[in-house]
Amino acid sequence: MHISSRFRPTQTIPRVSVGDTSMDYTDQVRSLGVVFDRNMTMDRHIEHTCRNALSSIRYIGRIRKYRDRTSALKLIHAFVTSKIDYCNSNLYGLPPACKLARLQRVLNTAARLVTRTRKYDHITPVMIELHWLPVCERIHYKLLLMVFKCLHSQGPSYLRSLIHLRSSSTRSLRSNTSPTLLAPRFRTQTYGSRTFSSSQPVPQPCGTRFQTTLNCAIM
């Protein structure tokens, strides 16, 4: 697969030869269950995730009346939210109105199934009752968790090498007492802003900068 921008025409590569093996060109590949397309729009992955999650919701809905709320919540976590949260950091930077809205509708359907809420009832009180974050915030939380682990030498080395702290100023400034992440420059808005090194300084609440343990950071 040849990854390129959807705004720039590229020449199609019909076939690639590696030694005596000839491989055909493809528009999408799957790695560890994540579907990547040639323009990194993640449309195929979102479609695949929604289809599998909705299928699980239909099966759970058939036995919902025989299960209490605790059992239904466990089933939803096992077969629905686990699919939505799997590798969701790859979806950072996608337009929430058109891309992530499909995943949010699936999450709303799962919340209605657990609480047995009617279709046209307002979903925000239901999400608050279940303590569920919206899809966009779930992605930010995943990035925050990864950055926190990298800052405390708990993350993988290939991610820790992408995080850089801003150097302290010689003047007495309040920012010198807290670690501030350095945001590197990027050339393309479509791909550059979605990389881990560019996205990790953005969603960093001030309260998490002074935490040293993961339990305090989550609370």
Side-chain angles (χ1 to χ4, degrees):
M1 183 180 70
H2 177 216
I3 299 177
S4 60
S5 174
R6 65 181 183 273
F7 303 108
R8 181 177 301 176
T10 56
Q11 185 178 2
T12 304
I13 304 175
R15 190 179 294 269
V16 176
S17 298
V18 180
D20 298 332
T21 304
S22 180
M23 296 178 293
D24 294 330
Y25 176 83
T26 181
D27 289 335
Q28 63 179 12
V29 295
R30 178 177 296 181
S31 177
L32 299 177
V34 181
V35 182
F36 298 94
D37 55 273
R38 62 188 303 266
N39 294 326
M40 295 299 292
T41 60
M42 306 303 293
D43 289 338
R44 303 292 179 85
H45 176 70
I46 294 176
E47 179 182 357
H48 177 75
T49 301
C50 292
R51 183 171 60 251
N52 290 343
L54 287 175
S55 177
S56 299
I57 289 176
R58 284 193 293 268
Y59 284 118
I60 297 173
R62 295 176 182 177
I63 62 173
R64 175 64 182 92
K65 60 182 178 180
Y66 304 109
R67 299 292 178 182
D68 57 1
R69 176 168 173 169
T70 303
S71 300
L73 188 61
K74 291 181 180 179
L75 290 173
I76 290 296
H77 283 319
F79 297 104
V80 180
T81 58
S82 60
K83 294 182 175 67
I84 295 176
D85 293 335
Y86 180 70
C87 293
N88 61 350
S89 58
N90 292 307
L91 306 179
Y92 177 79
L94 294 179
C98 57
K99 301 284 187 179
L100 303 182
R102 299 179 60 185
L103 293 174
Q104 185 62 52
R105 286 193 293 268
V106 174
L107 190 64
N108 294 346
T109 304
R112 297 183 191 277
L113 179 61
V114 172
T115 58
R116 311 193 79 168
T117 306
R118 292 179 298 180
K119 181 178 181 181
Y120 295 103
D121 289 344
H122 196 45
I123 194 61
T124 301
V126 178
M127 302 290 285
I128 295 176
E129 180 184 354
L130 294 174
H131 300 281
W132 285 7
L133 292 173
V135 171
C136 187
E137 301 302 326
R138 296 168 88 96
I139 296 173
H140 289 174
Y141 175 79
K142 178 69 72 63
L143 285 173
L144 278 172
L145 184 61
M146 295 168 63
V147 171
F148 181 88
K149 290 184 176 181
C150 291
L151 289 176
H152 295 82
S153 302
Q154 299 176 8
S157 57
Y158 64 89
L159 288 182
R160 294 202 306 266
S161 62
L162 299 176
I163 293 182
H164 304 283
L165 296 177
R166 190 183 302 274
S167 58
S168 301
S169 175
T170 56
R171 295 176 295 176
S172 179
L173 300 177
R174 185 173 57 182
S175 59
N176 293 339
T177 60
S178 62
T180 304
L181 298 176
L182 179 63
R185 296 181 179 179
F186 50 86
R187 297 179 57 186
T188 58
Q189 182 67 31
T190 306
Y191 303 113
S193 61
R194 293 171 55 188
T195 59
F196 180 73
S197 58
S198 298
S199 62
Q200 42 85 13
V202 179
Q204 189 189 18
C206 296
T208 62
R209 299 177 184 177
F210 300 96
Q211 303 297 342
T212 57
T213 60
L214 187 59
N215 292 332
C216 294
I218 293 178
M219 293 175 62

